[in-house]
Structures are given as structure tokens and as C-alpha cells.
């Protein structure tokens, strides 16, 4: 029987979906952005997922769990900032920008709720 894990969390699934979309979209960014904007937005979007996974493994310690989720939330906000630059530089359409930005708002809201109630995720037993 499969045990529930971080991959079962809706927030992880959404953040992962977004990071894959960002990876795909940034393939079309200009070459001169490769070592700056492209790397930064890819790194921060992936870090959202990585911190959720790390935090989930620490959920028996509510403060540690909340800290990793807070880190994840910070990375989600950083990703939104890179999305702002991507839109303003003309690399993303307003439609794609708006979709991604709003979905990161949802990720932030879900993480905020988890941070406020870490006891709901404490392992049983």
C-alpha cells in the first residue's frame, strides 16, 4: 500500500506543474538572459517544490515544517518577481504572465494556510 507523501499535496502538484511550464516557456527567452533571468526564474520555481518536499519530511517537528514552507513561500514570491521582469521585458504575454502570477498567488495562499496549521500535517503514530 502506497503511503501519502508530499507528491500528494495539491500545493506541491500545482507548484511542480508551474515549474515545468516555466522551464518550457523560458526555452524561448533570449540567449543573453541564459545566465541571469532564465536561470533565476527556473531555480526559484524549482525551489518552491524542493522546499515543500523537504518540509514534508520534517513535519513531525512543526517549527521546522513551517520554516521550510516559509522558505517555499519566499521562493514563490521570488518567482513572481522574475515573472514581472519577464513580462516587462516582453518575454511573456500578459495572458501567460497573468495565469502564472495568479497560480503562484494560489500556491502562496495554500502554503500560508499550511504554515498557520502545521499540526494538520503531523505524522500519525
Amino acid at each position: 500500500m502506497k503511503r501519502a507523501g508530499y507528491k500528494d499535496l495539491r500545493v506541491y502538484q500545482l507548484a511542480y506543474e508551474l515549474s515545468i511550464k516555466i522551464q518550457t516557456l523560458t526555452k524561448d527567452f533570449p540567449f543573453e538572459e541564459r545566465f541571469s533571468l532564465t536561470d533565476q526564474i527556473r531555480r526559484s520555481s524549482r525551489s518552491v517544490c524542493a522546499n515543500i518536499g523537504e518540509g514534508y519530511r520534517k513535519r513531525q517537528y512543526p517549527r521546522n515544517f513551517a520554516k521550510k514552507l516559509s522558505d517555499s513561500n519566499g521562493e514563490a514570491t521570488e518567482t513572481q518577481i522574475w515573472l514581472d521582469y519577464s513580462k516587462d521585458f516582453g518575454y511573456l504575454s500578459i495572458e501567460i504572465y497573468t495565469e502564472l502570477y495568479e497560480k503562484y498567488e494560489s500556491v502562496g495562499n495554500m502554503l500560508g494556510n499550511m504554515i498557520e496549521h502545521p499540526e494538520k500535517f503531523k505524522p500519525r503514530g
Side-chain angles (χ1 to χ4, degrees):
M1 181 174 164
K2 181 183 171 253
R3 292 176 27 182
Y6 66 89
K7 288 183 179 182
D8 296 316
L9 298 172
R10 177 69 188 123
V11 67
Y12 177 85
Q13 294 168 0
L14 179 57
Y16 191 86
E17 170 192 316
L18 290 168
S19 70
I20 296 295
K21 187 160 191 168
I22 284 173
Q23 173 70 29
T24 302
L25 289 169
T26 57
K27 287 180 182 179
D28 294 331
F29 281 17
F31 180 78
E32 63 267 15
E33 292 288 4
R34 189 169 124 210
F35 297 112
S36 55
L37 180 59
T38 303
D39 283 346
Q40 292 286 12
I41 195 169
R42 287 177 176 178
R43 183 205 52 77
S44 63
S45 69
R46 291 173 183 169
S47 289
V48 175
C49 302
N51 281 301
I52 292 169
E54 258 188 87
Y56 192 81
R57 296 293 176 132
K58 296 179 178 186
R59 69 193 189 284
Q60 68 272 25
Y61 308 107
R63 284 186 180 170
N64 291 338
F65 178 58
K67 168 71 171 95
K68 291 310 289 184
L69 296 179
S70 178
D71 292 345
S72 182
N73 204 0
E75 295 290 344
T77 300
E78 181 180 337
T79 302
Q80 288 178 307
I81 293 166
W82 298 127
L83 288 170
D84 289 340
Y85 279 109
S86 299
K87 172 190 59 81
D88 291 343
F89 291 157
Y91 305 151
L92 293 178
S93 69
I94 190 69
E95 295 81 16
I96 290 174
Y97 163 82
T98 301
E99 173 194 346
L100 294 172
Y101 196 93
E102 288 177 358
K103 286 184 177 180
Y104 272 105
E105 282 293 301
S106 294
V107 167
N109 290 335
M110 286 187 260
L111 289 168
N113 188 47
M114 292 171 75
I115 291 165
E116 288 179 24
H117 303 285
E119 69 282 354
K120 291 182 180 181
F121 300 90
K122 194 168 184 179
R124 296 183 184 144

